[in-house]
Amino acid sequence: STHNVTTKHTKKKSPVGLFGGCEVKIHNGPCFVGEKYYITRELIALGETPKTEFRWTKAIMKDKSGTLIAEMTLQDMMLKNTVENYESLRDVANQRSNVPALSSKL
C-alpha cells in the first residue's frame, strides 16, 4: 500500500555542481604516489550561461626543486535553479563585490 506523509518541514534544494571540462598536461612526469609536490591554484575566468555559473581554475604542480611537473585547467559549473534563493543571493553578492554584476536574466 502507499502512504502519503505530510511534514512541517519544507524540502530544500540541493545545489548541483558539475565539471564542464578538464585538461591535464604532464610536463616532467610521471607523478609518483608518496612524493611531495607543491600545488598552486589560480582563478583564471568566471562566466555564466542562462542556466549555469562557471569558473575556470588552473592548478600548477611542482616538485621540491621547483620543476614544473604538471598543470591542470578545470571548468566547474553550478546549476542556478538548484540553489535556494539564487536571485536574492546573487543580488547581495553583486552589491558586496567590486566586480561588475553578471546579468542572470539573459
Side-chain angles (χ1 to χ4, degrees):
S1 69
T2 304
H3 300 284
N4 293 327
V5 179
T6 304
T7 66
K8 294 179 184 177
H9 303 289
T10 59
K11 184 177 180 182
K12 292 191 175 203
K13 291 183 178 182
S14 294
V16 175
L18 306 165
F19 292 117
C22 180
E23 178 183 67
V24 177
K25 294 180 184 178
I26 305 294
H27 295 280
N28 292 296
C31 306
F32 297 102
V33 173
E35 188 76 22
K36 187 170 185 176
Y37 296 102
Y38 300 90
I39 309 292
T40 57
R41 203 168 75 158
E42 175 186 9
L43 177 64
I44 55 176
L46 291 172
E48 71 177 302
T49 69
K51 295 182 180 182
T52 67
E53 285 188 2
F54 61 87
R55 66 182 174 194
W56 286 94
T57 55
K58 185 174 197 171
I60 304 291
M61 181 167 73
K62 296 181 179 181
D63 66 12
K64 61 185 173 190
S65 71
T67 301
L68 176 63
I69 303 299
E71 63 182 281
M72 178 183 72
T73 305
L74 177 68
Q75 179 193 38
D76 59 288
M77 301 181 289
M78 185 248 340
L79 296 176
K80 293 176 182 178
N81 68 356
T82 65
V83 176
E84 198 165 328
N85 301 317
Y86 174 82
E87 290 298 329
S88 61
L89 291 171
R90 179 71 178 260
D91 290 341
V92 169
N94 287 341
Q95 290 171 5
R96 291 182 179 174
S97 94
N98 293 326
V99 178
L102 296 172
S103 171
S104 60
K105 297 178 172 97
L106 299 176

